[in-house]
Amino acid sequence: MAAALEKQRATTQSNEYGTALAKSLFIRTYGCQMNVYDSARMADVLAPLGYGLTDSPDGADMVIVNTCHIREKAAEKTYSELGRLRRLQERKADEGGRMVLAVAGCVAQAEGEEILRRAPNVDIVLGPQTYHRLPEMLARARRAADARDGEAVRGVLDTEFPAEAKFDHLPTSARAAGPSAFLTVQEGCDKFCTFCVVPYTRGAEFSRPLADILGEARDLVARGAREITLLGQNVNAYRGEGADGGPADLAALCRALAEIEDLARIRYTTSHPRDMSAALIDAHRDCDKLMPYLHLPVQAGSDRVLAAMNRRHRVADYLDTVARLRAARPDLALSGDFIVGFPGESAADFEATLALVEAVGYAQAYSFKYSPRPGTPAASLPDQVDEAEKSDRLARLQALLAAQQHAFNQATVGAEFDVLLERPGRHDGQLVGRSPYLQAVHLQAGGAQIGDLVPVRVLEAGQNSLAAERRAS
Ligand code: SAH
Ligand code: SF4
Ligand code: F3S
């Protein structure tokens, strides 16, 4: 009897991915917020199999590298990370264990097979649309490894764009949500800017039904979220199935979310200037929960370059959209993305980008040197700008954007607003939160807790953060 039980236990342990055992999972995330969201959902998918998150790859039973392919440097990081992880896998094997290594995200989607060739220590390569199938891939990888114990085994590859929507196959999370949570509402991109890999790595635009999003939002709020940032590569192109079966746009989604009582703040990112509809601008006017901060990338300030980028908007359209937004919500702050040194960008084109930045005035912005991405139309354009010139332009643009960010922060000194407390600060009794304009704000907690929304007065401003004091509610 005891022997039979022992045998059964042994079978259970080696069976079904080891459900009975507590296993450690480490996920390294690169790239955009959508990857951050995907990483959290991969952890949810693996939790029922006994995997719990750990904060170091050293000794972990499974490591997932969730990758980004947007610029060359981002993709290179993947291979150096895989090299470093190989040593940890060897150490784990020396100790009689096994570390399963999976590569997810946009490099996985773009390079697929090539990853298995260059990094034979990788067990699983999966794209952004297949991570609901991770348990099945894990089982296949295990079976392959067991069958050919000790020999090199070819990894499992799943980078399809399956017909079934992964969102319908994801479990709800049991973990507490942070005060500020991400929620993916739209994926993929049909815009095909000539420099960008996203339409290839994330596929065609797809919007989740409104009811599913509301359900996930309510669940996040029940688990502690006070702020939700709606995510999509083209979030303001959102067109999901609405309550009446007809299409609902992002404005309708924001208005519906605002009805959730304990949800205090709504944000969304990333928006395309062309999809900034009148209805969405009206929502910024009417909906207090929609935060007065908008990431609205323009990329360049010259119509010639915008046309070559296939951005489908001109400088004047962008400035008009910004003016309408500011008329609707006068305190709206803007952030943006810029690319310098796009093929054929002349000195005059670049000056036009500086002029646009001067005209708009950004609270914060990201700027990059153009990075040719294999397979995208711009990579084979003539007149690639030389590297030294790109660096020079980037430095000039970044100096201007940094000065604007500093001026924006300075202008909030003395201002009073609410801060959502998100994490402990570096000093005793200090907490750090976010202003409505997404600035990091440091303050003495004085009894307030992470997750509280507290009224403050801004005392001082730095380049990247503010110091504030609490006011009586
Ligand atoms: N969907 C968003 C941006 C997604 S990618 C939009 O349409 O604006 C994030 C940013 O990376 C882009 O806004 C762009 O500024 C930058 N980027 C994308 N491809 C790039 C490339 N090949 N070289 C340099 N920067 C790039
Ligand atoms: Fe890329 Fe352009 Fe689509 Fe943004 S809109 S994801 S930059 S192709
Ligand atoms: Fe990178 Fe893919 Fe996001 S390429 S920026 S992780 S959509």
Side-chain angles (χ1 to χ4, degrees):
M1 181 68 183
L5 267 182
E6 202 48 55
K7 186 160 179 252
Q8 193 187 351
R9 191 173 310 138
T11 339
T12 316
Q13 281 179 345
S14 59
N15 188 1
E16 295 294 353
Y17 336 111
T19 316
L21 305 171
K23 291 181 178 289
S24 54
L25 167 68
F26 176 77
I27 308 184
R28 171 95 67 210
T29 308
Y30 296 103
C32 60
Q33 290 103 326
M34 304 207 47
N35 263 11
V36 175
Y37 175 87
D38 289 349
S39 289
R41 301 316 307 269
M42 285 193 271
D44 294 339
V45 169
L46 292 170
L49 307 189
Y51 286 91
L53 282 170
T54 171
D55 51 14
S56 162
D58 203 352
D61 296 299
M62 179 162 186
V63 172
I64 302 176
V65 185
N66 197 6
T67 61
C68 174
H69 201 241
I70 203 81
R71 284 167 292 276
E72 195 180 358
K73 271 197 189 136
E76 271 167 20
K77 276 189 197 156
T78 301
Y79 287 104
S80 35
E81 175 97 36
L82 295 178
R84 283 195 300 276
L85 287 168
R86 188 189 185 113
R87 287 192 283 280
L88 296 185
Q89 278 180 306
E90 285 164 358
R91 195 187 307 166
K92 180 104 182 166
D94 289 345
E95 290 161 5
R98 182 164 143 71
M99 177 190 288
V100 177
L101 180 55
V103 182
C106 291
V107 177
Q109 188 65 44
E111 308 237 317
E113 198 76 40
E114 176 69 7
I115 296 179
L116 294 176
R117 204 184 56 74
R118 274 182 69 176
N121 55 321
V122 170
D123 299 286
I124 298 170
V125 174
L126 71 156
Q129 300 309 331
T130 55
Y131 60 76
H132 57 295
R133 297 181 184 167
L134 253 174
E136 182 194 326
M137 291 179 223
L138 200 49
R140 267 162 61 201
R142 280 266 167 73
R143 278 199 299 273
D146 290 347
R148 302 180 53 188
D149 198 17
E151 281 178 60
V153 191
R154 203 184 158 282
V156 173
L157 176 75
D158 191 347
T159 51
E160 270 181 57
F161 287 104
E164 85 267 13
K166 68 172 178 242
F167 294 107
D168 298 340
H169 296 266
L170 294 172
T172 46
S173 179
R175 281 172 294 133
S180 178
F182 290 142
L183 201 176
T184 293
V185 304
Q186 179 276 332
E187 280 201 288
C189 181
D190 296 341
K191 297 275 190 310
F192 290 92
C193 300
T194 54
F195 51 82
C196 184
V197 293
V198 170
Y200 312 97
T201 60
R202 294 277 174 163
E205 274 179 23
F206 165 81
S207 294
R208 298 176 66 189
L210 186 112
D212 292 7
I213 296 166
L214 289 178
E216 190 170 330
R218 285 195 200 96
D219 177 59
L220 283 167
V221 171
R223 289 189 285 124
R226 305 291 318 276
E227 170 178 284
I228 291 182
T229 303
L230 307 173
L231 300 179
Q233 268 92 15
N234 250 295
V235 73
N236 59 345
Y238 172 82
R239 284 226 125 205
E241 186 189 319
D244 56 2
D249 61 7
L250 188 64
L253 175 59
C254 289
R255 287 177 195 269
L257 284 165
E259 302 285 312
I260 301 177
E261 205 177 321
D262 291 332
L263 179 62
R265 292 175 159 189
I266 303 166
R267 302 180 187 275
Y268 59 88
T269 197
T270 294
S271 295
H272 193 285
R274 245 183 90 109
D275 295 315
M276 212 62 228
S277 68
L280 190 52
I281 294 175
D282 286 350
H284 277 279
R285 182 194 58 209
D286 303 336
C287 185
D288 286 345
K289 290 186 180 182
L290 201 48
M291 289 293 99
Y293 179 86
L294 183 64
H295 185 61
L296 194 63
V298 65
Q299 313 298 352
S302 138
D303 283 341
R304 211 174 60 82
V305 173
L306 289 175
M309 286 176 163
N310 192 33
R311 286 292 289 180
R312 309 178 205 201
H313 60 79
R314 289 162 307 161
V315 172
D317 304 324
Y318 183 81
L319 292 175
D320 177 59
T321 302
V322 168
R324 286 187 297 128
L325 276 160
R326 285 182 166 152
R329 181 81 206 223
D331 65 336
L332 187 101
L334 284 161
S335 92
D337 290 344
F338 296 89
I339 295 178
V340 301
F342 185 81
E345 183 189 72
S346 67
D349 291 325
F350 173 65
E351 294 299 328
T353 298
L354 296 178
L356 178 141
V357 172
E358 293 279 9
V360 172
Y362 288 90
Q364 201 265 335
Y366 302 94
S367 46
F368 314 98
K369 288 194 263 186
Y370 169 67
S371 168
R373 309 308 293 125
T376 59
S380 48
L381 284 177
D383 302 328
Q384 298 285 331
V385 175
D386 95 26
E387 213 40 47
E389 184 61 36
K390 281 189 207 171
S391 301
D392 192 50
R393 289 180 191 177
L394 186 66
R396 285 181 62 200
L397 175 60
Q398 289 187 336
L400 175 58
L401 291 168
Q404 289 193 341
Q405 181 174 4
H406 190 255
F408 178 79
N409 288 348
Q410 282 298 329
T412 54
V413 174
E416 297 179 349
F417 45 59
D418 288 347
V419 164
L420 177 60
L421 298 172
E422 291 183 5
R423 59 186 164 89
R426 239 180 285 151
H427 304 292
D428 233 16
Q430 202 183 50
L431 289 177
V432 186
R434 294 274 171 188
S435 78
Y437 314 104
L438 216 58
Q439 297 147 298
V441 184
H442 300 254
L443 50 85
Q444 282 304 314
Q449 313 270 327
I450 289 177
D452 289 350
L453 203 60
V454 295
V456 308
R457 179 177 301 107
V458 180
L459 300 172
E460 267 178 73
Q463 181 63 35
N464 295 309
S465 64
L466 308 176
E469 64 180 1
R470 288 186 60 194
R471 290 186 300 125
S473 324

